[in-house]
Amino acid sequence: MSDVDKNRRETIKEYEDRWIMQPLRGSRVVRTTWLPEQVEFETDTPFRIVVGYGAEMAPRSIAEDSPERHMISHWTRAEVERNVSAPILSPVFFKSGSLRLGLGNGWNLFVSNQHPQVTATVFFGDTLMWNRSGMLSPAGFSVVTLDPWTGQRIDAPPWPPRPEDLDIDTDSDDING
């Protein structure tokens, strides 16, 4: 693997509304632990994803209103374990508190911001990286902010918004005033 490819895999891409955890991409769930209030998905990497039973799964569709989208308790434990065992291709964690894991077999795992009572956390080893309130620790991975239109890295902070108390005379002909 080239240094460029390795660097891409070791970064977390940050957009205005989400993080894409590239280091989680390609990992597989190798063990599922069914706890009283939540399910823990342990991957073949140090990542663990823990979600409440209100998390949802669907084949193919990512639409919130898809008739195929159901809480994980809709399927048997064996079906859930089989469906999440494919490689994770799209690990997306939204700043709204949602998550979407797109799997190589066409299945998706969701935690929707429509259901704030459903727990969702991501660990790297013992480090809590993400929960529904946002990114808590990058766990040693670099976080790269990307422009949503070009996909290019943003190295400077975004421009601050215009102060609301800025005194501008919009009726003036003076372009500097």
Side-chain angles (χ1 to χ4, degrees):
M1 179 182 311
S2 74
D3 287 342
V4 172
D5 290 337
K6 185 178 179 189
N7 191 28
R8 280 192 193 129
R9 285 207 28 90
E10 293 178 357
T11 60
I12 298 169
K13 295 179 180 180
E14 181 176 13
Y15 291 93
E16 190 173 308
D17 65 337
R18 69 190 76 193
W19 295 276
I20 299 175
M21 284 197 205
Q22 289 296 111
L24 185 54
R25 188 177 158 95
S27 61
R28 291 175 173 266
V29 172
V30 293
R31 188 173 76 172
T32 304
T33 305
W34 299 88
L35 303 167
E37 301 290 322
Q38 53 200 14
V39 182
E40 181 176 305
F41 300 110
E42 185 178 323
T43 69
D44 57 359
T45 64
F47 285 98
R48 283 182 299 124
I49 301 151
V50 182
V51 297
Y53 284 101
E56 300 169 304
M57 292 184 69
R60 299 170 296 280
S61 177
I62 63 170
E64 188 97 28
D65 61 349
S66 170
E68 295 180 306
R69 186 167 166 166
H70 301 287
M71 289 191 305
I72 58 175
S73 58
H74 173 81
W75 289 278
T76 67
R77 289 182 176 189
E79 288 173 317
V80 171
E81 291 172 10
R82 182 184 66 241
N83 293 337
V84 299
S85 67
I88 297 170
L89 300 182
S90 179
V92 183
F93 299 86
F94 294 90
K95 294 181 179 180
S96 65
S98 300
L99 76 78
R100 179 181 70 227
L101 296 179
L103 302 161
N105 58 3
W107 281 84
N108 295 285
L109 175 68
F110 307 95
V111 173
S112 170
N113 63 350
Q114 302 290 326
H115 306 287
Q117 74 283 4
V118 178
T119 60
T121 54
V122 176
F123 294 89
F124 185 77
D126 292 330
T127 303
L128 176 59
M129 286 185 70
W130 179 90
N131 66 17
R132 301 218 44 191
S133 65
M135 184 71 66
L136 304 172
S137 167
F141 299 106
S142 62
V143 178
V144 177
T145 305
L146 300 176
D147 179 273
W149 299 103
T150 65
Q152 298 296 312
R153 182 182 180 135
I154 299 172
D155 291 319
W159 285 96
R162 189 186 104 178
E164 291 183 22
D165 62 342
L166 191 61
D167 188 22
I168 296 178
D169 182 4
T170 57
D171 294 327
S172 172
D173 291 336
D174 182 2
I175 64 169
N176 297 314

